[in-house]
Amino acid sequence: MNNYYSSKSKFYVAIDCIIFGFNEGELNLLLLKRNFQPAMGEWSLMGGFVQENESTDDAAKRVLHELTGLDKVYMEQVGSFGSIDRDPGERVISISYYALININEYDKELVQQHNAYWVNINELPELIFDHPQMVEQARDLMQQKASIAPIGFNLLPTLFTLSQLQSLYEAIYGEIIDKRNFRKRIAEMDYIEKTDKIDKTGSKRGAALYKFNEKAYRKAPKFKL
Amino acid sequence: MNNYYSSKSKFYVAIDCIIFGFNEGELNLLLLKRNFQPAMGEWSLMGGFVQENESTDDAAKRVLHELTGLDKVYMEQVGSFGSIDRDPGERVISISYYALININEYDKELVQQHNAYWVNINELPELIFDHPQMVEQARDLMQQKASIAPIGFNLLPTLFTLSQLQSLYEAIYGEIIDKRNFRKRIAEMDYIEKTDKIDKTGSKRGAALYKFNEKAYRKAPKFKL
DNA sequence: TCAAAAGTGTTAAGTTTACACCCATGA
DNA sequence: TCATGGGTGTAAACTTAACACTTTTGA
């Protein structure tokens, strides 16, 4: 250590993850009912401490992986939270990230081991520390980002119906969307491709399944929903 | 310290400030030509380390104050930067904030002592570490925020002409704006109030001076530029 | 046969953009 | 008197929002 840094303080730096999932028309968060200290028995976000050998982005991936078993998940930094007493046990500076996962693909055993549950985002329990603010900021940021970039597909299966997609955006924005206007806008996005597959689970008639074509999107990256 | 935290690593946490000023139709950043180690002689953002007795937001205010002498400045967190080797001297996690200041009101002596200079944002020198990314993110965030909230006024004197205001927004967006359309939009914002004062410095004819009425804005907070 | 979700176009309203000349004044 | 920035309105283009009925099929 050279002299320049020697008189400075060091801090614990934590990661907290706001994990979004989408199921049956509702946005959900994956929350821990803590079976460990501190704040045992209370609800919190999944978290962990940054380690020496990893960047903060890598730490966020690791923490998400520890709970869900998932890799290569869409994550975005929300920001850092640095009030002196935000964690009553110790001074901890936390960096929060949100993640968008397909609710069918996570490791259910790991989640059970952590005592984690999907909770409807409109019916959240009380959360510890400043986690409510983290959730609020994550939600705002995700909503904003989802309106200008095609990140919503991370919350859906590879193949989805337009009704599912619409219902997802209705959940993200918290408002209903006109079906014809919605489909008109989707039709203009050539990278949202109709497949020849039909989903029969959602209706008697059956609905066409679509997929998001990442490569085609990169060629014509215009998106607005 | 309780057992929960004891095995975890601690980190230096720094603040870096992207300080925006506006002068003669141009956006500028206040940058240091470092007369200290590390990276002496190179250009960087103003920075400092977070201390035990302050929140990260307070640390950002302190760091800005150390350079400019200013208090109560509009600041917003850009995000945290946590690559392992971002600071080649030591592992340092940095949180960056941008600040909007009135270029007429800072403490010039302090700035001189720090060997800091205003640099046109379109002619920036090479910056150390990951400061270029911080600047880019700050610029994007500020531009985005300026379009939906009346933060631009922080870059102007209390009284300003519509030409100055337009020129500011042209600098923020990096594109020219139609004068009549611009003034139409301003006229709809009742909280941007015409005073009976005239600025004669910018033209022979003289231009009406306007002011931003914060209280009136809070009653009808609609803004879009 | 009917309930339930899928699918499909047109029009009105609102917003955004383009555009050109006169005014007041000090040098 | 003229060069300079200040100040003003209208029409066309475009975007967004509102709206209702037919189709398919399994129960």
Side-chain angles (χ1 to χ4, degrees):
Chain A
M1 187 189 300
N2 78 31
N3 190 53
Y4 179 69
Y5 301 94
S6 56
S7 67
K8 310 304 178 186
S9 299
K10 289 182 143 188
F11 300 88
Y12 294 117
V13 178
I15 300 293
D16 286 297
C17 291
I18 298 94
I19 305 167
F20 289 93
F22 177 68
N23 201 23
E24 299 182 352
E26 303 280 354
L27 274 182
N28 300 284
L29 295 185
L30 189 52
L31 297 178
L32 304 194
K33 178 126 190 175
R34 296 165 71 101
N35 52 10
F36 54 91
Q37 289 295 1
M40 180 147 60
E42 298 186 63
W43 289 92
S44 79
L45 298 167
M46 177 66 185
F49 286 87
V50 176
Q51 298 172 355
E52 300 273 9
N53 61 347
E54 63 187 1
S55 68
T56 50
D57 286 356
D58 287 343
K61 287 176 201 159
R62 175 178 54 76
V63 167
L64 182 73
H65 181 88
E66 282 170 11
L67 177 59
T68 64
L70 297 171
D71 291 312
K72 298 179 189 167
V73 171
Y74 181 86
M75 296 189 84
E76 189 173 359
Q77 188 190 125
V78 176
S80 67
F81 293 76
S83 298
I84 295 181
D85 296 320
R86 51 172 299 283
D87 181 329
E90 265 285 339
R91 175 82 194 264
V92 178
I93 293 169
S94 182
I95 306 173
S96 71
Y97 288 75
Y98 76 82
L100 304 182
I101 78 175
N102 176 340
I103 209 161
N104 302 308
E105 289 188 352
Y106 63 93
D107 183 325
K108 298 202 169 57
E109 248 180 65
L110 272 175
V111 164
Q112 203 164 19
Q113 281 168 28
H114 282 86
N115 207 31
Y117 302 89
W118 286 106
V119 182
N120 186 314
I121 201 167
N122 297 311
E123 300 165 6
L124 294 180
E126 265 194 33
L127 295 171
I128 62 168
F129 305 172
D130 48 7
H131 291 195
Q133 288 143 258
M134 292 181 179
V135 169
E136 194 188 340
Q137 277 189 229
R139 213 179 161 175
D140 291 349
L141 183 63
M142 192 275 273
Q143 180 175 319
Q144 145 74 15
K145 189 68 178 273
S147 77
I148 58 164
I151 63 170
F153 303 103
N154 294 292
L155 290 162
L156 292 174
T158 310
L159 296 175
F160 50 85
T161 68
L162 292 186
S163 294
Q164 287 175 305
L165 186 61
Q166 177 172 349
S167 145
L168 168 62
Y169 275 87
E170 289 176 337
I172 291 173
Y173 294 143
E175 58 190 26
I176 65 154
I177 301 173
D178 180 274
K179 182 164 55 158
R180 279 178 288 187
N181 293 337
F182 181 80
R183 284 167 184 245
K184 228 178 303 170
R185 276 174 282 159
I186 298 300
E188 282 162 10
M189 302 180 196
D190 296 336
Y191 49 83
I192 301 180
E193 296 172 351
K194 192 176 191 168
T195 69
D196 55 5
K197 300 199 181 61
I198 304 288
D199 171 272
K200 301 285 285 184
T201 66
S203 71
K204 292 162 181 168
R205 174 176 174 176
L209 285 163
Y210 287 73
K211 67 178 176 196
F212 173 63
N213 183 331
E214 174 81 38
K215 270 180 207 148
Y217 172 71
R218 280 199 293 264
K219 280 179 200 157
K222 40 200 164 204
F223 186 92
K224 196 95 222 300
L225 264 181
Chain B
M1 187 192 298
N2 76 31
N3 191 53
Y4 180 67
Y5 302 93
S6 56
S7 66
K8 311 302 178 186
S9 300
K10 288 182 145 188
F11 300 87
Y12 294 117
V13 178
I15 300 291
D16 286 296
C17 292
I18 298 95
I19 305 167
F20 289 93
F22 177 68
N23 201 24
E24 300 183 351
E26 303 280 355
L27 274 182
N28 301 284
L29 295 186
L30 189 52
L31 298 179
L32 304 194
K33 178 126 189 176
R34 296 166 71 103
N35 52 11
F36 54 92
Q37 289 294 0
M40 181 149 58
E42 298 185 61
W43 289 92
S44 79
L45 298 168
M46 175 66 184
F49 285 89
V50 176
Q51 297 172 355
E52 301 272 9
N53 62 347
E54 64 187 0
S55 68
T56 51
D57 286 356
D58 287 343
K61 287 176 201 158
R62 174 178 55 75
V63 168
L64 182 73
H65 181 89
E66 282 171 12
L67 177 59
T68 63
L70 297 172
D71 292 311
K72 297 181 188 165
V73 172
Y74 181 87
M75 296 188 84
E76 189 173 358
Q77 188 189 129
V78 175
S80 67
F81 293 76
S83 298
I84 295 180
D85 296 320
R86 51 172 299 283
D87 181 329
E90 264 284 339
R91 175 81 195 263
V92 178
I93 292 169
S94 182
I95 307 173
S96 71
Y97 288 76
Y98 76 82
L100 304 182
I101 78 174
N102 176 341
I103 209 162
N104 302 308
E105 290 188 351
Y106 64 93
D107 184 325
K108 299 201 169 59
E109 248 180 66
L110 272 175
V111 163
Q112 204 164 21
Q113 281 169 31
H114 282 86
N115 206 31
Y117 302 89
W118 287 105
V119 183
N120 186 312
I121 201 167
N122 297 311
E123 300 164 6
L124 295 180
E126 265 194 31
L127 295 171
I128 64 168
F129 304 174
D130 49 7
H131 291 195
Q133 289 144 256
M134 291 182 181
V135 169
E136 194 188 340
Q137 275 189 232
R139 213 179 160 174
D140 290 349
L141 183 63
M142 192 275 273
Q143 179 175 321
Q144 146 73 14
K145 190 68 179 273
S147 76
I148 58 164
I151 63 171
F153 303 103
N154 293 292
L155 290 162
L156 293 174
T158 310
L159 296 175
F160 51 85
T161 69
L162 292 186
S163 295
Q164 286 175 307
L165 186 61
Q166 178 173 348
S167 145
L168 169 62
Y169 275 88
E170 288 175 337
I172 291 174
Y173 295 144
E175 58 188 27
I176 65 155
I177 302 173
D178 179 274
K179 181 163 59 158
R180 278 178 287 190
N181 293 336
F182 181 80
R183 285 167 184 245
K184 228 179 302 170
R185 276 174 281 159
I186 298 300
E188 282 162 10
M189 303 179 195
D190 296 336
Y191 49 84
I192 301 180
E193 296 172 351
K194 192 176 193 167
T195 68
D196 55 6
K197 300 199 182 62
I198 304 289
D199 171 88
K200 302 284 284 184
T201 66
S203 71
K204 292 160 182 171
R205 174 176 175 173
L209 285 163
Y210 287 72
K211 67 179 180 197
F212 172 64
N213 183 331
E214 174 81 39
K215 270 181 206 146
Y217 172 70
R218 279 200 293 264
K219 280 178 198 156
K222 43 200 161 201
F223 185 92
K224 197 98 223 296
L225 263 182

